[in-house]
Amino acid sequence: MTAHLPNGAWDRVTARDVATNGITLRVFEDGPKDPAKPLVVLCHGFPELAFSWRHQIRTLAAAGYRVLAPDMRGFGGSSRPAEVEAYDAPTVCGDLLGLLDDVGARDAVFVGHDWGASIVWHMAWAHPERVRAVVGMSVPMTPRSPVAPLPVLRRRLGDAFYMVWFQEPGVADRALAQDVRRTLTAREIWSAAWAARDEPAAERPGWLSEEELAHYVETFERTGFTGGLNYYRNLDRTWERTAPLAGRTVDVPSLFVTGSKDPVARFMPSDRLEDVLTDLRGRVVLDGAGHWIQQERPAEVGAALLEFLDKLG
């Protein structure tokens, strides 16, 4: 059974604003500054917040690790640049490099879920000197495509596929913001067909308390979804900007964690991890878990992270 964390406990986690890479990140931190243990940076996905790591922050800090969890660029209390081009992966990685500089850290273990996974894989790929180790959840590392990804997604999965539907600025933004609770409790991947239906919000999942859901709803009602959607609108731009990295592998220690029922696996299989991760320490598949694993299975995710971290030496 999922243990819910009262929002009052989250409110006691230290939060501060960090100026980095021309923007400001709202960063939540906990844990001792132990030089014998690596810094851990937790990067959330879409549509999430640093709050999605509330269970793991507590677990890692209690084990003696210093933890930083930013609201990523475009989300929550962090800056939300208006320009679509401000959200490609190299730019977002620049935010994280500045976060390390702010705390005086040479490197860190980067952990990411969903879009956060894509970003931390990119960090380890492009900036290995600043990455002690890397953990990706739900979204696997894959070899760089020989062609731009968006036309391939459009051809293989059609215009109705959510990543394609997200591309037109303003369209998905309005649809997702129309009823934020319905968006956040959706039991299917968002699409134009989903947006067109007049239906109430689904029942909240059991792993999310009413108080926790309210935190998300209130935040996204304030910020909207455009910042997060802009990550998807930079798929081809990121591909173009990473051309110099073609053929490079990720050589730092790595771990992949996913749920056996995660729908992402249907279009992003993890069968080529070893092609790009030369020091893959393991794959953790949580039986019966879906996409939102760090919230759905907090104890198991926390245990997997601690085992990986403790073996880094």
Side-chain angles (χ1 to χ4, degrees):
M1 178 178 294
T2 297
H4 298 297
L5 178 64
N7 288 1
W10 173 253
D11 292 340
R12 290 193 293 272
V13 175
T14 300
R16 63 188 181 93
D17 292 337
V18 174
T20 170
N21 197 27
I23 65 162
T24 299
L25 290 182
R26 176 67 51 81
V27 180
F28 299 83
E29 55 186 327
D30 200 359
K33 298 179 181 179
D34 184 348
K37 292 180 179 290
L39 174 70
V40 181
V41 179
L42 305 174
C43 300
H44 68 81
F46 177 85
E48 294 179 297
L49 303 163
F51 183 69
S52 69
W53 296 107
R54 57 199 177 278
H55 304 287
Q56 289 74 37
I57 289 175
R58 182 172 57 175
T59 297
L60 295 173
Y65 290 94
R66 186 184 185 192
V67 187
L68 304 180
D71 280 343
M72 301 293 281
R73 169 187 292 247
F75 293 86
S78 294
S79 297
R80 302 188 300 278
E83 302 81 9
V84 172
E85 297 80 11
Y87 294 84
D88 62 49
T91 298
V92 178
C93 285
D95 300 347
L96 300 178
L97 293 172
L99 181 56
L100 293 185
D101 293 340
D102 176 78
V103 298
R106 180 178 63 86
D107 58 22
V109 177
F110 285 88
V111 181
H113 173 255
D114 186 79
W115 257 109
S118 294
I119 296 301
V120 301
W121 293 132
H122 189 95
M123 276 289 293
W125 192 38
H127 305 285
E129 73 284 356
R130 306 302 299 271
V131 180
R132 172 69 180 83
V134 61
V135 182
M137 297 186 184
S138 298
V139 173
M141 178 71 174
T142 58
R144 183 179 184 274
S145 169
V147 296
L150 190 57
V152 175
L153 290 172
R154 193 184 301 273
R155 184 176 68 252
R156 291 182 178 176
L157 299 170
D159 289 341
F161 182 61
Y162 77 106
M163 291 188 188
V164 180
W165 180 58
F166 284 173
Q167 293 304 310
E168 183 63 32
V171 175
D173 316 52
R174 288 188 294 271
L176 297 181
Q178 183 173 351
D179 183 341
V180 171
R181 186 182 179 99
R182 177 175 178 250
T183 296
L184 296 177
T185 57
R187 301 296 178 86
E188 62 188 274
I189 297 177
W190 309 280
S191 65
W194 168 85
R197 293 200 300 270
D198 183 13
E199 60 186 12
E203 184 179 350
R204 64 175 172 80
W207 44 263
L208 197 63
S209 73
E210 187 60 40
E211 186 182 16
E212 290 167 335
L213 177 57
H215 180 86
Y216 281 112
V217 171
E218 291 164 5
T219 301
F220 281 102
E221 285 181 342
R222 174 175 57 83
T223 66
F225 293 91
T226 298
L229 291 168
N230 282 339
Y231 284 68
Y232 296 91
R233 294 166 183 156
N234 278 275
L235 286 169
D236 285 358
R237 179 178 172 83
T238 290
W239 178 82
E240 292 166 0
R241 293 197 63 191
T242 56
L245 302 179
R248 181 184 292 188
T249 55
V250 170
D251 302 323
V252 301
S254 59
L255 175 70
F256 180 61
V257 185
T258 190
S260 67
K261 294 185 177 181
D262 192 330
V264 171
R266 293 199 290 260
F267 56 88
M268 293 189 71
S270 60
D271 55 351
R272 298 194 64 186
L273 285 176
E274 286 84 352
D275 291 351
V276 283
L277 304 176
T278 64
D279 192 7
L280 180 62
R281 302 285 178 93
R283 301 168 181 248
V284 176
V285 180
L286 302 180
D287 187 46
H291 182 65
W292 314 104
I293 51 176
Q294 78 270 37
Q295 299 179 88
E296 183 181 350
R297 299 286 186 84
E300 291 166 88
V301 168
L305 291 178
L306 286 179
E307 182 179 6
F308 177 73
L309 289 167
D310 291 347
K311 289 181 178 179
L312 286 177

